[in-house]
Amino acid sequence: MKLANRANAEIEKADLESARRDLEAAIRLAPEYWPALYTRGTLFLKQGKYDLALQDANHVLRQDSTVVEAALLRGQVNIKLRKYAATLHDPDNIIHIQPRRITWAVAFQQRAMVFAICQGSSIRNLPLPLRDATTACKMTGWKDASMIDTLAFVHGELGDFDSAIRYEQQAIRFGNGTPRESQSFRKQLGRLTQHRPSQER
């Protein structure tokens, strides 16, 4: 537990290599300790090692299918791997069981992203992500920059660039994202200002 907690602090400081070493040590001592497996999965996601992140998320969920954080991690990884149909399973289940409010909101956010980016896919349905992204913003009191950024993204995919720009500017003003998220918000604002939808995150 001490190693896993220290790894979380190291990730906050962007010291990913130290975090990886501490997580590996924790997992060697307790191979089934799911918080360490989950944290290592989030680390792999940050490093773009999507197959390894997916393995850790699946490992956690095989132990305990009710760990919604691991289910959301698996959804994030599947989005990166463009396995969109597989991605919908986890947020749908989480929305159905109605976990604590912030996790529930993230599930709506994740489902909105999947529906919005599946251009040319049979599961793309633009009215649904607008509803889901708006629900996520309402559930977090319109105070979560990441949720508002997702709503801006969806409006851009719909071609409503005026609304998209307004929401993206709002996300940037909140400034409660990580430096990496803030950079992503500004990059998206540039695309939206040029009236270009993204299709990528």
Side-chain angles (χ1 to χ4, degrees):
M1 185 181 296
K2 184 183 291 186
L3 286 165
N5 289 341
R6 189 167 72 187
N8 276 312
E10 288 161 344
I11 290 172
E12 287 292 319
K13 297 174 184 175
D15 186 359
L16 302 187
E17 286 308 311
S18 294
R20 169 79 181 271
R21 285 194 296 271
D22 281 338
L23 290 168
E24 297 289 357
I27 292 166
R28 281 196 299 273
L29 290 168
E32 302 304 312
Y33 183 56
W34 77 257
L37 288 163
Y38 166 75
T39 303
R40 188 176 68 176
T42 64
L43 178 59
F44 283 143
L45 176 62
K46 289 177 184 293
Q47 294 177 323
K49 299 175 181 179
Y50 303 132
D51 290 332
L52 293 174
L54 190 60
Q55 285 178 26
D56 278 348
N58 284 332
H59 190 161
V60 172
L61 291 165
R62 280 195 297 271
Q63 291 184 66
D64 186 349
S65 62
T66 67
V67 181
V68 291
E69 292 82 3
L72 289 170
L73 171 61
R74 182 165 66 184
Q76 288 178 281
V77 175
N78 278 325
I79 288 174
K80 294 294 186 181
L81 293 173
R82 300 186 180 185
K83 297 179 179 179
Y84 300 129
T87 304
L88 286 175
H89 173 77
D90 290 316
D92 281 347
N93 279 348
I94 293 167
I95 289 166
H96 178 71
I97 65 175
Q98 300 181 9
R100 64 192 179 98
R101 196 168 187 83
I102 184 58
T103 310
W104 197 8
V106 172
F108 276 108
Q109 179 192 31
Q110 192 172 98
R111 192 170 70 175
M113 285 298 304
V114 176
F115 277 124
I117 64 181
C118 297
Q119 188 172 31
S121 168
S122 61
I123 65 173
R124 179 176 166 90
N125 189 331
L126 285 173
L128 292 178
L130 184 58
R131 182 196 66 191
D132 280 355
T134 302
T135 298
C137 289
K138 289 178 178 177
M139 293 178 74
T140 51
W142 294 92
K143 295 178 180 178
D144 188 297
S146 174
M147 303 294 179
I148 299 169
D149 169 69
T150 297
L151 182 59
F153 172 81
V154 172
H155 274 289
E157 295 303 296
L158 283 165
D160 181 0
F161 292 104
D162 289 341
S163 295
I165 291 167
R166 185 173 70 252
Y167 284 123
E168 198 64 51
Q169 290 171 334
Q170 185 178 341
I172 292 169
R173 281 197 304 273
F174 270 116
N176 60 355
T178 65
R180 185 176 180 181
E181 284 176 330
S182 297
Q183 183 180 16
S184 174
F185 297 166
R186 293 184 183 282
K187 185 177 179 181
Q188 177 162 249
L189 180 60
R191 284 194 302 265
L192 295 171
T193 302
Q194 296 172 32
H195 288 197
R196 290 191 296 118
S198 172
Q199 289 304 327
E200 285 296 335
R201 300 295 282 163

